Amino acid sequence: MRSLPRSLDPLPDETITGFVLRLAHRLGTTPAEILLRTGLAPGGSPGLPTRLPLSFQYHLDDAHLTVFARATLLMPAEVADMLLAPLGQRYGPLNPAFTPRNTPARMIYDNPWVLTRSTRYCPPCLTGNGTLIQDRHGGPWQRLWRLPMIFLCVRHQRLLAHQCPGCGAFAQSPHAGSAIARLSDDALNPWQCRSAEARSAPAEHPAHACGADLTRESAPAGELDSATMAALVQVQRHLAGLLAEGGPESTTSAGAPVPVAHYFADLRATVAMIFRSWPEARPYAGTSFLAAALDAEHASRTAQAQPLLNTAGKKKSSKPYTAPPSDSLVTGAVLQIATRLLRAADPCEARESMAPLVHKLRDADRALSIYLCRAAWISTPMRTAVGDC
Ligand SMILES: [Zn+2]
Ligand SMILES: [Zn+2]
């Protein structure tokens, strides 16, 4: 594999898919050509690749990583920093201790706590920071936007978007199992929507790309009141600070110090407890606006769970309660309560504030309560707080 004639420096916190899009744009070629020339084409089939496996966003084996680094004139460590797997050191839902999986690549399967089939994004961040290189090829598609616990851009003080303003598709959603849609399209900028245009085109003509400019998304409808925005910014600042490279090693969860990854595992379980036992945690909502957003979300989750209650076979009726919300506002609302519940001064206080949720959950969904309290799912202090369920 020969090196490319030119490459790019990765931008801070850039994903590998974002890097490939910018590089293709810089070299005036297609993402498929970049994948072929950097060794990311799935082996075996001749010619240009038609897909980039979803797992390549998360993890590359040594062979792929070395070849990609050499071809793009980067250090292997720089390439590793574009993958999602290293985030698991701080983020429990991507940490093998709290999300046990057989192989690294399996971590992203059936794991709603990492976004590999879409991403959130901040339009102003995607526009770039005004440097020449970002003016030309856009700002980074950020790795942290792939973590559902990131819902707001602290820098621009705005909730993250997750849908294309033109066609409504989830941003960067895959096509035919490829992490980058329209691999052989060289007409799109990295910040344009790559989803297929609404199906008006006859089947024999492949639909055009939507192509909407994702940096132009107008402000979300309905401004947030300032108290709500302040509450959400505070929560996001706290969580982003813990996830940042070089951030603190440990933090408090359920009234005792734990490594940061354990705390994020506890947040994931607390979110499920909040939704399944709603409205028990309602008094903890920071503003009435946030409480109302969660009322609506709970109603919609209950409606999803209802038809599953009486189905035969493996019980799946708790699933609608355990996934993170797609919407940034609702995510912020539930995390505001979850962080508040876990912020107890000591284990005793943690136990007290969790008790109403624990009791209601145990009565409503015994299987889920056992599932959430496994040692391989939450920290030791949280297990103490929720009792031996
Ligand atoms: Zn931003
Ligand atoms: Zn679109």
Side-chain angles (χ1 to χ4, degrees), residues 9-341:
D9 290 329
L11 297 173
D13 199 41
E14 185 167 34
T15 55
I16 195 156
T17 43
F19 179 81
V20 168
L21 290 176
R22 285 198 310 124
L23 190 53
H25 190 240
R26 175 165 205 208
L27 298 181
T29 184
T30 63
E33 184 75 33
I34 298 292
L35 298 184
L36 182 69
R37 301 197 50 185
T38 56
L40 288 195
S45 46
L48 288 171
T50 53
R51 58 185 282 268
L52 174 64
L54 294 179
S55 67
F56 282 17
Q57 306 167 84
Y58 173 74
H59 168 80
L60 290 179
D61 60 30
D62 284 344
H64 279 109
L65 195 130
T66 309
V67 171
F68 186 85
R70 195 180 308 140
T72 52
L73 311 167
L74 297 176
M75 305 293 291
E78 291 178 291
V79 179
D81 278 347
M82 292 193 273
L83 303 170
L84 301 173
L87 298 176
Q89 284 169 15
R90 294 183 160 271
Y91 184 67
L94 282 181
N95 188 301
F98 291 105
T99 311
R101 296 294 157 97
N102 294 334
T103 64
R106 295 211 69 80
M107 181 60 87
I108 64 165
Y109 292 103
D110 204 20
N111 184 349
W113 290 91
V114 56
L115 304 173
T116 47
R117 296 180 166 275
S118 68
T119 185
R120 291 199 181 122
Y121 66 99
C122 170
C125 281
L126 210 50
T127 305
N129 62 357
T131 55
L132 186 63
I133 200 86
Q134 293 199 26
D135 278 351
R136 281 188 184 152
H137 314 297
W141 282 95
Q142 297 176 24
R143 279 192 310 172
L144 287 181
W145 294 343
R146 297 281 181 163
L147 303 186
M149 295 202 202
I150 298 295
F151 55 90
L152 180 140
C153 177
V154 172
R155 187 157 160 246
H156 295 108
Q157 303 260 316
R158 54 170 295 152
L159 290 167
L160 298 182
H162 68 284
Q163 285 171 298
C164 166
C167 69
F170 286 147
Q172 290 223 343
S173 43
H175 177 68
S178 176
I180 296 177
R182 305 183 74 85
L183 276 181
S184 49
D185 193 329
D186 66 358
L188 294 168
N189 290 321
W191 59 85
Q192 277 181 290
C193 173
R194 307 182 76 85
S195 291
E197 201 177 41
R199 357 234 104 159
S200 51
E204 60 272 22
H205 297 297
H208 290 288
C210 159
D213 182 346
L214 300 173
T215 66
R216 299 250 163 146
E217 199 230 22
S218 51
E223 283 295 299
L224 293 184
D225 63 87
S226 59
T228 296
M229 183 50 107
L232 294 180
V233 168
Q234 192 185 20
V235 172
Q236 189 66 99
R237 226 185 261 284
H238 166 62
L239 298 181
L242 293 174
L243 287 170
E245 223 182 297
E249 294 291 311
S250 63
T251 186
T252 298
S253 194
V258 293
V260 166
H262 297 217
Y263 175 66
F264 283 98
D266 290 351
L267 280 176
R268 169 181 61 181
T270 307
V271 165
M273 290 177 73
I274 291 169
F275 281 131
R276 193 65 184 88
S277 68
W278 192 257
E280 292 301 327
R282 200 176 193 280
Y284 293 99
T287 68
S288 54
F289 187 74
L290 292 173
L294 288 171
D295 288 337
E297 176 75 8
H298 178 255
S300 120
R301 288 181 180 233
T302 306
Q304 278 176 53
Q306 213 57 41
L308 302 172
L309 275 175
N310 300 315
T311 50
K314 205 173 155 204
K315 205 162 179 218
K316 296 196 179 84
S317 58
S318 12
K319 268 216 152 155
Y321 295 103
T322 56
S326 326
D327 182 80
S328 290
L329 171 68
V330 181
T331 306
V334 73
L335 287 173
Q336 182 262 314
I337 294 182
T339 52
R340 193 150 158 190
L341 286 167

